[in-house]
């Protein structure tokens, strides 16, 4: 969505086709903001410092609170930010991480530290291999979303989540952009299925061990 790639007409077509509750964009230029004039809705843009493009969010519904911008550890050339939206029941982070495989994981750690207990991180990770973010699961589609030099297929566009489940996901056909869009249908994870952590997990292990011991006393082995 810079001087080349997806244009506003492509964004409008995607909105009309998928009817998303929330659309996250990377490398969006100022002109993409005119999407409001075409399809209505609500739009927020966070340009990267010193760049003509940045991160953007669009929704048919008003944002519960304005998306905030989180400054990330930066590389030598490009200074990165992240967009974070609090939806009330969970948070969403829109990311376009650096290409350095150590730096982009540092950026992820900065992002997740600012998120609520239930949260999803979506966008262009530029990560090769597992992201390895404690407490988060990779719940997005598993198909490649980008071909490096039109040859090597890579899954750069991902969705990591904590306290959420993915009901459905897909990689959409490629348009003018060099990345294929992904779509995920998220909902809060039922409390009964949420993994216990810390002291709660230790207490649960002790409770189960006590139950096993009482069962063994009632029903001794022959």
């Amino acid at each position: 969505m810079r001087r080349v790639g997806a244009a506003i007409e492509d964004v409008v077509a995607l909105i009309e086709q998928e009817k998303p509750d929330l659309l996250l964009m990377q490398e969006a230029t100022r002109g993409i903001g005119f999407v409001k004039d075409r399809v209505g809705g609500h739009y927020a843009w966070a340009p990267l410092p010193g760049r003509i493009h940045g991160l953007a969010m669009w929704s048919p519904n008003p944002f519960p609170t304005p998306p905030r911008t989180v400054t990330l550890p930066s590389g030598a050339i490009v200074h990165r930010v992240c967009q974070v939206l609090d939806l009330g029941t969970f948070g969403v982070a829109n990311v376009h991480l650096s290409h350095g495989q150590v730096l982009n994981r540092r950026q992820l750690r900065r992002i997740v530290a600012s998120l609520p207990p239930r949260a999803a991180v979506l966008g262009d990770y530029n990560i090769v291999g597992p992201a390895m973010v404690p407490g988060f699961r990779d719940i997005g589609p598993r198909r490649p979303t980008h071909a490096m030099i039109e040859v090597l297929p890579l899954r750069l566009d991902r969705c990591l989540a904590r306290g959420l489940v993915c009901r459905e996901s897909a990689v959409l056909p490629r348009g003018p952009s060099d990345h294929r869009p992904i779509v995920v249908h998220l909902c809060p994870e039922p409390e009964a299925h949420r993994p216990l952590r810390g002291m709660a997990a230790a207490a649960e292990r002790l409770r189960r061990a006590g139950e096993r011991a009482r069962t063994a006393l009632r029903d001794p082995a022959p």
Side-chain angles (χ1 to χ4, degrees):
M1 291 184 186
R2 290 179 287 180
R3 293 188 177 91
V4 296
I8 189 169
E9 290 78 12
D10 304 299
V11 175
V12 169
L14 184 62
I15 289 172
E16 292 176 343
Q17 172 186 310
E18 297 297 324
K19 297 178 174 55
D21 295 316
L22 181 64
L23 176 66
L24 306 181
M25 294 166 273
Q26 299 83 42
E27 296 192 347
T29 57
R30 185 181 298 275
I32 298 297
F34 290 105
V35 68
K36 294 189 300 180
D37 300 329
R38 302 283 296 274
V39 293
H42 302 266
Y43 182 82
W45 184 49
L48 301 187
R51 297 280 166 164
I52 65 170
H53 59 84
L55 301 165
M57 294 182 172
W58 176 89
S59 175
N61 306 307
F63 300 125
T65 58
R68 57 189 175 91
T69 301
V70 177
T71 302
L72 303 181
S74 296
I77 300 176
V78 180
H79 299 282
R80 302 278 177 173
V81 299
C82 167
Q83 264 185 320
V84 176
L85 176 63
D86 187 350
L87 293 171
T89 52
F90 62 92
V92 174
N94 181 19
V95 302
H96 185 189
L97 304 179
S98 295
H99 292 83
Q101 297 302 298
V102 174
L103 178 57
N104 53 27
R105 287 169 170 85
R106 284 181 56 212
Q107 292 168 344
L108 264 180
R109 290 195 294 272
R110 170 74 61 82
I111 293 165
V112 301
S114 67
L115 296 178
R118 285 192 175 103
V121 183
L122 300 99
D124 183 354
Y125 276 58
N126 277 320
I127 282 179
V128 178
M132 296 180 296
V133 183
F136 280 74
R137 294 179 295 117
D138 190 339
I139 62 175
R142 298 297 178 139
R143 295 176 59 193
T145 62
H146 175 72
M148 181 180 293
I149 324 176
E150 301 296 330
V151 175
L152 179 63
L154 298 171
R155 189 171 67 93
L156 300 183
D157 302 270
R158 306 187 185 187
C159 173
L160 266 65
R162 175 176 63 196
L164 300 171
V165 293
C166 182
R167 297 299 187 192
E168 185 179 354
S169 68
V171 175
L172 302 180
R174 178 179 167 182
S177 172
D178 60 345
H179 286 248
R180 300 176 65 182
I182 67 171
V183 57
V184 292
H185 295 264
L186 303 176
C187 65
E189 187 177 56
E191 290 290 341
H193 296 148
R194 295 189 67 190
L196 296 174
R197 299 180 177 88
M199 292 299 294
E204 178 65 13
R205 288 194 295 269
L206 289 173
R207 185 187 67 81
R208 291 178 180 176
E211 287 184 351
R212 288 194 296 269
R214 288 192 293 273
T215 300
L217 289 174
R218 288 198 307 266
D219 305 305

